[in-house]
Amino acid sequence: MSAINVSKVLDQSHASRVFDLAEMPLRELNRALHNLTLGSNETAWEVLNPKGSHSVAVGVDQPVTIDVRGSVGYYCGGMNDGSAITVHGSAGPGVGENMMSGSITVKGDASQYAGATGRGGLLVIEGNASSRCGISMKGIDIVVHGNIGHMSAFMAQSGNLVVLGDAGDALGDSIYEARLFVRGKVGSLGADCIAKEMRSEHLELLQGLLDRAGVTGVKAAEFTRYGSARTLYNFNIDNADAY
Amino acid sequence: MCGIVGLFLKDKSLEPRLGSMLSEMLISLSDRGPDSAGIAIYGAPSGNEAKITIQSAKPEHDFRNLDAELARAIGTPVNIAVKSTHAVVRTTPDKIDEVREAIQALRPDIRTMGAGDVVEIYKEVGLPEAVVDRFDVRSMTGTHGIGHTRMATESAVTTMGAHPFSTGADQCLVHNGSLSNHNNVRRELIREGMKFETENDTEVAAAYLSSQMAHGKNLGEALEGTLSDLDGFFTFVVGTKNGFGVVRDPIACKPAVMAETDQYVAFGSEYRALTKLPGIDNARVWEPEPATVYFWEH
């Protein structure tokens, strides 16, 4: 087989589809992504000129990679089930909302409620995230290289939120069972959220998350774990103000 | 929802493009609010001149011969430039109150959109594109400006219910959110002597800032006061004769993105409002913190 033929074979196995949103409506991109079936050769997707568009690559349910070259608006990668999305820019509100599985990486910053209600998969924000990061998270893993804003992990139910920087006020307000790991300062803790001991299983879990998120030079032992004090699980009149 | 934008130029060479830049920013947010749109533009001061922007539902009737009748009433010539349903009346600063009173007496149906040395305000029901076309906003020049596309939640869908709201000379405000204590604040401000033209919560916020600044506070201090005195959800973008300010309430659930370069400071409800600005790819882009005042002055 000649060198030319080899490169042809490689091209086919990595068939890449490029969508330029300056020339094509977003609906066509999402329709093409939704039409993907298991075993498709179109495993690599590139989205150009998103310019803050809403709902880029929402509802993808196949294991493809999607590289978005620029910043996106609301709900990028919402409901993602298995794809690996990278936003080479910043993300607007609700990135990865209700993600089921797969991964989303935001190279820049993320706006409010990143990963809200997420049920699975990994959301990595290499910059800062804003308020309500991981609100009502239900199994998703979120790793933020920078800081997160106020009311993050509000009513979080399951999953892990890892923050290498600082957290804003009311972290983990009314939290159920999610684990929050913060390396920096916490503005304040919300109702029923307390600092907890880092046992060996937590160190192991956190190290695994840091590795998966491409974080190097940071040790799991540098973090504090926060979680639910579980005093709001059953109604108690003494806690009335906290509900 | 509502969409709000603001642009404060640092680089004079961009001033001829202010109207077109602000128009594009606002049009990009059209789907955040279809009910009405408006824009306030701060032009360059032109010496000894003050402006009043007025509006009429019957412009052919109300603006006909108004210049001659006003000149007769106040004893000095006035200049009137009509743009669709709006008109800008130019006079000298010392005559501004007299002209306003004369307009009220001569044409009681005319509404004042705003007044001051430099500001002009254009607002109507309809989408941003229709509003900027109607008033040829793209051709306007200036130093800074703010804009709004409205999804009505408080008060009626009318021209007067559109933003920006102007309650003091060269002061105006656009708002995304809703206030819950506006009736109480309105009553207090009425007791102070402020006058209101609508039932709208945003007009109360504008009047609150005017009142604070009338008491000697600067824009930054006045904006600080909104955090303790106004209750509800808000992102405010405010213009004064030479200033531009932004504040979000402590809960900060209304979206906001800002960008700053050597040439400008820009505000948008969403990032897509900023994508056509020059040098945006290298701008410092950030989300304003809750309960934090940002302001710039020339």
Side-chain angles (χ1 to χ4, degrees), chain A residues 142-200:
Chain A
I142 304 175
V143 179
V144 181
H145 289 215
N147 306 321
I148 59 172
H150 64 286
M151 292 294 277
S152 289
F154 174 52
M155 291 180 73
Q157 288 147 59
S158 170
N160 302 291
L161 171 62
V162 180
V163 183
L164 276 71
D166 300 335
D169 283 328
L171 176 70
D173 192 79
S174 305
I175 186 172
Y176 291 80
E177 287 301 318
R179 286 168 292 264
L180 318 179
F181 300 98
V182 182
R183 182 159 161 257
K185 295 187 296 291
V186 172
S188 60
L189 293 173
D192 216 31
C193 185
I194 55 168
K196 292 186 161 184
E197 179 198 0
M198 278 282 240
R199 295 195 299 268
S200 59

Short mmCIF file of all heavy atoms in Angstrom, two decimals, chain A residues 142-200:
data_model
loop_
_atom_site.label_atom_id
_atom_site.label_comp_id
_atom_site.label_asym_id
_atom_site.label_seq_id
_atom_site.Cartn_x
_atom_site.Cartn_y
_atom_site.Cartn_z
N ILE A 142 -18.16 17.64 38.07
CA ILE A 142 -17.79 18.95 37.54
C ILE A 142 -16.43 19.33 38.12
O ILE A 142 -16.24 19.27 39.34
CB ILE A 142 -18.83 20.02 37.92
CG1 ILE A 142 -20.23 19.60 37.46
CG2 ILE A 142 -18.46 21.38 37.32
CD1 ILE A 142 -21.36 20.55 37.91
N VAL A 143 -15.50 19.70 37.24
CA VAL A 143 -14.18 20.15 37.71
C VAL A 143 -13.95 21.55 37.16
O VAL A 143 -13.98 21.76 35.94
CB VAL A 143 -13.05 19.20 37.24
CG1 VAL A 143 -11.70 19.73 37.73
CG2 VAL A 143 -13.29 17.78 37.75
N VAL A 144 -13.75 22.51 38.05
CA VAL A 144 -13.53 23.90 37.65
C VAL A 144 -12.10 24.27 38.03
O VAL A 144 -11.74 24.21 39.21
CB VAL A 144 -14.54 24.84 38.34
CG1 VAL A 144 -14.31 26.28 37.89
CG2 VAL A 144 -15.98 24.41 38.05
N HIS A 145 -11.31 24.65 37.04
CA HIS A 145 -9.91 25.01 37.32
C HIS A 145 -9.83 26.32 38.10
O HIS A 145 -8.92 26.52 38.89
CB HIS A 145 -9.13 25.15 36.02
CG HIS A 145 -8.87 23.84 35.34
ND1 HIS A 145 -7.72 23.58 34.65
CD2 HIS A 145 -9.62 22.71 35.25
CE1 HIS A 145 -7.77 22.34 34.15
NE2 HIS A 145 -8.92 21.81 34.50
N GLY A 146 -10.75 27.24 37.86
CA GLY A 146 -10.72 28.54 38.51
C GLY A 146 -11.67 28.61 39.69
O GLY A 146 -11.76 27.68 40.50
N ASN A 147 -12.41 29.73 39.77
CA ASN A 147 -13.35 29.97 40.87
C ASN A 147 -14.77 29.68 40.44
O ASN A 147 -15.07 29.65 39.24
CB ASN A 147 -13.27 31.43 41.32
CG ASN A 147 -11.85 31.86 41.65
OD1 ASN A 147 -11.09 31.10 42.24
ND2 ASN A 147 -11.50 33.08 41.25
N ILE A 148 -15.65 29.53 41.43
CA ILE A 148 -17.08 29.43 41.14
C ILE A 148 -17.82 30.51 41.92
O ILE A 148 -17.34 30.99 42.95
CB ILE A 148 -17.67 28.04 41.47
CG1 ILE A 148 -17.47 27.71 42.95
CG2 ILE A 148 -17.05 26.97 40.59
CD1 ILE A 148 -18.20 26.44 43.39
N GLY A 149 -19.01 30.89 41.43
CA GLY A 149 -19.77 31.97 42.05
C GLY A 149 -20.67 31.51 43.18
O GLY A 149 -20.58 30.36 43.65
N HIS A 150 -21.56 32.41 43.57
CA HIS A 150 -22.43 32.14 44.73
C HIS A 150 -23.51 31.11 44.40
O HIS A 150 -23.83 30.86 43.25
CB HIS A 150 -23.07 33.44 45.22
CG HIS A 150 -24.00 34.09 44.23
ND1 HIS A 150 -23.54 34.75 43.11
CD2 HIS A 150 -25.34 34.18 44.18
CE1 HIS A 150 -24.57 35.21 42.44
NE2 HIS A 150 -25.68 34.89 43.06
N MET A 151 -24.05 30.52 45.45
CA MET A 151 -25.14 29.54 45.38
C MET A 151 -24.79 28.31 44.53
O MET A 151 -25.67 27.69 43.93
CB MET A 151 -26.42 30.18 44.83
CG MET A 151 -27.05 31.22 45.75
SD MET A 151 -27.67 30.51 47.28
CE MET A 151 -29.26 29.90 46.79
N SER A 152 -23.52 27.97 44.47
CA SER A 152 -23.16 26.78 43.69
C SER A 152 -23.55 25.52 44.46
O SER A 152 -23.59 25.51 45.69
CB SER A 152 -21.66 26.79 43.39
OG SER A 152 -21.39 27.80 42.43
N ALA A 153 -23.88 24.48 43.69
CA ALA A 153 -24.32 23.19 44.25
C ALA A 153 -25.54 23.35 45.16
O ALA A 153 -25.76 22.54 46.06
CB ALA A 153 -23.19 22.49 44.99
N PHE A 154 -26.36 24.33 44.90
CA PHE A 154 -27.63 24.50 45.63
C PHE A 154 -28.51 23.28 45.40
O PHE A 154 -28.70 22.84 44.27
CB PHE A 154 -28.32 25.78 45.12
CG PHE A 154 -29.70 26.02 45.67
CD1 PHE A 154 -29.95 25.99 47.02
CD2 PHE A 154 -30.76 26.29 44.81
CE1 PHE A 154 -31.22 26.23 47.52
CE2 PHE A 154 -32.03 26.53 45.31
CZ PHE A 154 -32.26 26.50 46.66
N MET A 155 -28.95 22.65 46.46
CA MET A 155 -29.79 21.45 46.39
C MET A 155 -29.13 20.30 45.61
O MET A 155 -29.81 19.49 44.98
CB MET A 155 -31.17 21.77 45.82
CG MET A 155 -31.98 22.61 46.78
SD MET A 155 -33.60 23.05 46.24
CE MET A 155 -34.46 21.51 46.38
N ALA A 156 -27.81 20.26 45.63
CA ALA A 156 -27.10 19.19 44.91
C ALA A 156 -27.48 17.84 45.51
O ALA A 156 -27.52 17.68 46.73
CB ALA A 156 -25.60 19.41 45.00
N GLN A 157 -27.74 16.87 44.64
CA GLN A 157 -28.24 15.59 45.12
C GLN A 157 -27.24 14.45 45.02
O GLN A 157 -27.24 13.53 45.83
CB GLN A 157 -29.52 15.25 44.34
CG GLN A 157 -30.65 16.15 44.80
CD GLN A 157 -31.62 16.48 43.68
OE1 GLN A 157 -32.20 15.58 43.10
NE2 GLN A 157 -31.77 17.74 43.39
N SER A 158 -26.39 14.50 44.01
CA SER A 158 -25.43 13.42 43.82
C SER A 158 -24.35 13.88 42.85
O SER A 158 -24.57 14.79 42.07
CB SER A 158 -26.20 12.19 43.28
OG SER A 158 -25.31 11.21 42.86
N GLY A 159 -23.18 13.25 42.91
CA GLY A 159 -22.08 13.64 42.02
C GLY A 159 -21.01 14.40 42.78
O GLY A 159 -21.04 14.50 44.01
N ASN A 160 -20.03 14.91 42.03
CA ASN A 160 -18.89 15.57 42.65
C ASN A 160 -18.62 16.92 41.98
O ASN A 160 -18.60 17.01 40.75
CB ASN A 160 -17.64 14.70 42.48
CG ASN A 160 -17.84 13.32 43.08
OD1 ASN A 160 -17.92 13.17 44.30
ND2 ASN A 160 -17.96 12.32 42.23
N LEU A 161 -18.39 17.93 42.79
CA LEU A 161 -18.00 19.24 42.28
C LEU A 161 -16.61 19.55 42.83
O LEU A 161 -16.41 19.57 44.05
CB LEU A 161 -19.00 20.32 42.74
CG LEU A 161 -18.61 21.78 42.46
CD1 LEU A 161 -18.47 22.05 40.97
CD2 LEU A 161 -19.67 22.73 43.05
N VAL A 162 -15.65 19.74 41.92
CA VAL A 162 -14.26 19.99 42.32
C VAL A 162 -13.89 21.41 41.87
O VAL A 162 -14.07 21.76 40.71
CB VAL A 162 -13.31 18.98 41.63
CG1 VAL A 162 -11.87 19.25 42.04
CG2 VAL A 162 -13.72 17.55 41.98
N VAL A 163 -13.40 22.20 42.80
CA VAL A 163 -13.06 23.59 42.50
C VAL A 163 -11.63 23.84 42.92
O VAL A 163 -11.29 23.75 44.10
CB VAL A 163 -14.01 24.56 43.24
CG1 VAL A 163 -13.70 26.00 42.86
CG2 VAL A 163 -15.46 24.22 42.95
N LEU A 164 -10.78 24.18 41.95
CA LEU A 164 -9.37 24.42 42.29
C LEU A 164 -9.16 25.79 42.91
O LEU A 164 -8.22 26.01 43.65
CB LEU A 164 -8.49 24.26 41.03
CG LEU A 164 -8.08 22.82 40.72
CD1 LEU A 164 -9.25 22.01 40.21
CD2 LEU A 164 -6.94 22.79 39.72
N GLY A 165 -10.05 26.73 42.58
CA GLY A 165 -9.95 28.08 43.13
C GLY A 165 -10.87 28.26 44.31
O GLY A 165 -11.02 27.37 45.16
N ASP A 166 -11.53 29.43 44.35
CA ASP A 166 -12.41 29.78 45.47
C ASP A 166 -13.87 29.56 45.10
O ASP A 166 -14.24 29.57 43.93
CB ASP A 166 -12.23 31.26 45.84
CG ASP A 166 -10.80 31.57 46.25
OD1 ASP A 166 -10.09 30.65 46.70
OD2 ASP A 166 -10.39 32.74 46.11
N ALA A 167 -14.70 29.43 46.14
CA ALA A 167 -16.16 29.35 45.93
C ALA A 167 -16.80 30.59 46.54
O ALA A 167 -16.32 31.12 47.55
CB ALA A 167 -16.71 28.09 46.58
N GLY A 168 -17.91 31.04 45.94
CA GLY A 168 -18.62 32.22 46.44
C GLY A 168 -19.50 31.89 47.63
O GLY A 168 -19.37 30.82 48.25
N ASP A 169 -20.42 32.78 47.93
CA ASP A 169 -21.29 32.62 49.10
C ASP A 169 -22.28 31.48 48.93
O ASP A 169 -22.63 31.09 47.82
CB ASP A 169 -22.07 33.92 49.35
CG ASP A 169 -21.18 34.98 49.99
OD1 ASP A 169 -20.28 34.60 50.76
OD2 ASP A 169 -21.38 36.17 49.71
N ALA A 170 -22.74 30.99 50.07
CA ALA A 170 -23.83 30.00 50.14
C ALA A 170 -23.52 28.72 49.36
O ALA A 170 -24.39 28.16 48.69
CB ALA A 170 -25.15 30.61 49.68
N LEU A 171 -22.30 28.27 49.45
CA LEU A 171 -21.93 27.02 48.77
C LEU A 171 -22.75 25.87 49.35
O LEU A 171 -22.87 25.71 50.56
CB LEU A 171 -20.43 26.74 48.97
CG LEU A 171 -19.94 25.41 48.40
CD1 LEU A 171 -19.95 25.44 46.88
CD2 LEU A 171 -18.55 25.07 48.91
N GLY A 172 -23.32 25.07 48.45
CA GLY A 172 -24.02 23.86 48.87
C GLY A 172 -25.25 24.10 49.71
O GLY A 172 -25.61 23.27 50.55
N ASP A 173 -25.95 25.19 49.45
CA ASP A 173 -27.15 25.48 50.24
C ASP A 173 -28.17 24.35 50.05
O ASP A 173 -28.45 23.93 48.93
CB ASP A 173 -27.74 26.82 49.77
CG ASP A 173 -28.80 27.32 50.72
OD1 ASP A 173 -28.42 27.87 51.76
OD2 ASP A 173 -30.00 27.15 50.42
N SER A 174 -28.69 23.84 51.17
CA SER A 174 -29.70 22.77 51.15
C SER A 174 -29.23 21.54 50.37
O SER A 174 -29.99 20.91 49.65
CB SER A 174 -31.02 23.28 50.55
OG SER A 174 -31.45 24.41 51.25
N ILE A 175 -27.96 21.23 50.52
CA ILE A 175 -27.38 20.11 49.77
C ILE A 175 -27.92 18.77 50.30
O ILE A 175 -28.21 18.63 51.49
CB ILE A 175 -25.83 20.17 49.88
CG1 ILE A 175 -25.18 19.11 48.99
CG2 ILE A 175 -25.37 20.04 51.32
CD1 ILE A 175 -23.65 19.26 48.93
N TYR A 176 -28.06 17.79 49.40
CA TYR A 176 -28.45 16.44 49.80
C TYR A 176 -27.19 15.58 49.94
O TYR A 176 -26.57 15.56 50.98
CB TYR A 176 -29.41 15.83 48.77
CG TYR A 176 -30.77 16.48 48.77
CD1 TYR A 176 -30.99 17.69 48.11
CD2 TYR A 176 -31.84 15.90 49.43
CE1 TYR A 176 -32.24 18.28 48.11
CE2 TYR A 176 -33.10 16.49 49.43
CZ TYR A 176 -33.28 17.69 48.77
OH TYR A 176 -34.52 18.26 48.78
N GLU A 177 -26.76 14.93 48.86
CA GLU A 177 -25.68 13.95 49.02
C GLU A 177 -24.46 14.17 48.12
O GLU A 177 -23.62 13.29 48.04
CB GLU A 177 -26.23 12.55 48.80
CG GLU A 177 -27.10 12.07 49.96
CD GLU A 177 -26.35 12.05 51.28
OE1 GLU A 177 -25.18 11.65 51.32
OE2 GLU A 177 -26.95 12.50 52.28
N ALA A 178 -24.38 15.24 47.38
CA ALA A 178 -23.21 15.43 46.52
C ALA A 178 -21.97 15.74 47.36
O ALA A 178 -22.08 16.16 48.51
CB ALA A 178 -23.46 16.56 45.54
N ARG A 179 -20.79 15.50 46.77
CA ARG A 179 -19.53 15.83 47.44
C ARG A 179 -18.92 17.06 46.77
O ARG A 179 -18.81 17.11 45.55
CB ARG A 179 -18.55 14.65 47.34
CG ARG A 179 -18.91 13.49 48.25
CD ARG A 179 -18.09 12.26 47.89
NE ARG A 179 -18.47 11.75 46.58
CZ ARG A 179 -19.34 10.77 46.38
NH1 ARG A 179 -19.88 10.15 47.42
NH2 ARG A 179 -19.65 10.38 45.17
N LEU A 180 -18.53 18.02 47.57
CA LEU A 180 -17.93 19.25 47.05
C LEU A 180 -16.50 19.31 47.55
O LEU A 180 -16.25 19.16 48.76
CB LEU A 180 -18.71 20.48 47.55
CG LEU A 180 -20.24 20.38 47.54
CD1 LEU A 180 -20.85 21.67 48.09
CD2 LEU A 180 -20.76 20.11 46.13
N PHE A 181 -15.55 19.51 46.64
CA PHE A 181 -14.13 19.60 47.01
C PHE A 181 -13.62 20.98 46.58
O PHE A 181 -13.62 21.28 45.39
CB PHE A 181 -13.31 18.52 46.30
CG PHE A 181 -13.76 17.11 46.63
CD1 PHE A 181 -14.60 16.41 45.76
CD2 PHE A 181 -13.32 16.48 47.79
CE1 PHE A 181 -15.00 15.11 46.06
CE2 PHE A 181 -13.72 15.18 48.09
CZ PHE A 181 -14.56 14.49 47.22
N VAL A 182 -13.22 21.79 47.53
CA VAL A 182 -12.76 23.14 47.20
C VAL A 182 -11.34 23.32 47.72
O VAL A 182 -11.05 23.04 48.88
CB VAL A 182 -13.69 24.21 47.82
CG1 VAL A 182 -13.23 25.61 47.42
CG2 VAL A 182 -15.14 24.00 47.37
N ARG A 183 -10.47 23.79 46.82
CA ARG A 183 -9.06 23.96 47.20
C ARG A 183 -8.82 25.33 47.82
O ARG A 183 -8.00 25.49 48.71
CB ARG A 183 -8.20 23.79 45.95
CG ARG A 183 -6.71 23.89 46.17
CD ARG A 183 -6.03 23.19 45.00
NE ARG A 183 -4.64 23.55 44.82
CZ ARG A 183 -4.22 24.39 43.87
NH1 ARG A 183 -5.07 24.98 43.07
NH2 ARG A 183 -2.94 24.64 43.74
N GLY A 184 -9.58 26.33 47.37
CA GLY A 184 -9.37 27.70 47.86
C GLY A 184 -10.33 28.06 48.99
O GLY A 184 -10.78 27.19 49.74
N LYS A 185 -10.64 29.36 49.05
CA LYS A 185 -11.53 29.85 50.11
C LYS A 185 -12.98 29.65 49.72
O LYS A 185 -13.32 29.62 48.53
CB LYS A 185 -11.28 31.36 50.31
CG LYS A 185 -9.89 31.70 50.83
CD LYS A 185 -9.79 33.18 51.16
CE LYS A 185 -9.94 34.09 49.95
NZ LYS A 185 -8.82 34.01 48.99
N VAL A 186 -13.83 29.56 50.73
CA VAL A 186 -15.27 29.50 50.49
C VAL A 186 -15.88 30.76 51.10
O VAL A 186 -15.67 31.03 52.30
CB VAL A 186 -15.88 28.24 51.13
CG1 VAL A 186 -17.39 28.27 51.06
CG2 VAL A 186 -15.35 26.99 50.44
N GLY A 187 -16.64 31.52 50.30
CA GLY A 187 -17.24 32.77 50.80
C GLY A 187 -18.07 32.52 52.03
O GLY A 187 -17.89 33.13 53.08
N SER A 188 -19.01 31.59 51.91
CA SER A 188 -19.78 31.13 53.07
C SER A 188 -20.46 29.83 52.67
O SER A 188 -20.62 29.54 51.49
CB SER A 188 -20.83 32.17 53.49
OG SER A 188 -21.72 32.42 52.42
N LEU A 189 -20.85 29.06 53.68
CA LEU A 189 -21.55 27.80 53.42
C LEU A 189 -23.04 28.03 53.54
O LEU A 189 -23.50 28.76 54.42
CB LEU A 189 -21.10 26.73 54.42
CG LEU A 189 -19.64 26.26 54.27
CD1 LEU A 189 -19.28 25.33 55.43
CD2 LEU A 189 -19.44 25.55 52.94
N GLY A 190 -23.81 27.40 52.65
CA GLY A 190 -25.25 27.51 52.71
C GLY A 190 -25.84 26.62 53.79
O GLY A 190 -25.12 25.89 54.47
N ALA A 191 -27.17 26.68 53.93
CA ALA A 191 -27.86 25.90 54.96
C ALA A 191 -27.55 24.42 54.83
O ALA A 191 -27.64 23.86 53.74
CB ALA A 191 -29.36 26.14 54.85
N ASP A 192 -27.17 23.81 55.93
CA ASP A 192 -26.94 22.36 56.03
C ASP A 192 -25.69 21.88 55.31
O ASP A 192 -25.49 20.67 55.16
CB ASP A 192 -28.16 21.58 55.52
CG ASP A 192 -28.38 20.31 56.35
OD1 ASP A 192 -28.03 20.34 57.55
OD2 ASP A 192 -28.89 19.33 55.81
N CYS A 193 -24.84 22.79 54.84
CA CYS A 193 -23.58 22.37 54.21
C CYS A 193 -22.45 22.55 55.21
O CYS A 193 -22.33 23.61 55.84
CB CYS A 193 -23.32 23.20 52.95
SG CYS A 193 -21.86 22.64 52.04
N ILE A 194 -21.65 21.51 55.39
CA ILE A 194 -20.55 21.57 56.37
C ILE A 194 -19.26 21.02 55.77
O ILE A 194 -19.29 20.27 54.81
CB ILE A 194 -20.88 20.75 57.65
CG1 ILE A 194 -21.24 19.32 57.26
CG2 ILE A 194 -21.99 21.41 58.46
CD1 ILE A 194 -21.31 18.36 58.44
N ALA A 195 -18.14 21.43 56.36
CA ALA A 195 -16.85 20.84 55.99
C ALA A 195 -16.78 19.44 56.57
O ALA A 195 -17.27 19.19 57.68
CB ALA A 195 -15.71 21.70 56.52
N LYS A 196 -16.17 18.53 55.81
CA LYS A 196 -16.11 17.14 56.26
C LYS A 196 -14.70 16.60 56.14
O LYS A 196 -13.89 17.11 55.37
CB LYS A 196 -17.07 16.29 55.42
CG LYS A 196 -18.54 16.61 55.67
CD LYS A 196 -19.41 15.63 54.93
CE LYS A 196 -20.82 15.64 55.50
NZ LYS A 196 -21.67 14.62 54.87
N GLU A 197 -14.48 15.54 56.84
CA GLU A 197 -13.16 14.91 56.84
C GLU A 197 -12.85 14.31 55.45
O GLU A 197 -13.73 13.77 54.79
CB GLU A 197 -13.19 13.78 57.89
CG GLU A 197 -11.93 13.00 58.02
CD GLU A 197 -12.17 11.66 58.75
OE1 GLU A 197 -13.34 11.39 59.14
OE2 GLU A 197 -11.21 10.91 58.91
N MET A 198 -11.58 14.42 55.04
CA MET A 198 -11.13 13.79 53.79
C MET A 198 -10.59 12.41 54.12
O MET A 198 -9.46 12.29 54.59
CB MET A 198 -10.03 14.63 53.14
CG MET A 198 -10.54 15.78 52.34
SD MET A 198 -11.15 15.20 50.76
CE MET A 198 -10.09 16.10 49.69
N ARG A 199 -11.38 11.40 53.92
CA ARG A 199 -10.89 10.04 54.19
C ARG A 199 -10.19 9.51 52.94
O ARG A 199 -10.25 10.12 51.87
CB ARG A 199 -12.07 9.15 54.59
CG ARG A 199 -12.71 9.58 55.91
CD ARG A 199 -13.61 8.49 56.46
NE ARG A 199 -14.71 8.16 55.57
CZ ARG A 199 -15.92 8.74 55.63
NH1 ARG A 199 -16.17 9.67 56.55
NH2 ARG A 199 -16.87 8.40 54.80
N SER A 200 -9.57 8.37 53.06
CA SER A 200 -8.76 7.86 51.95
C SER A 200 -9.60 7.64 50.69
O SER A 200 -9.15 7.88 49.57
CB SER A 200 -8.06 6.57 52.37
OG SER A 200 -9.02 5.63 52.72
#
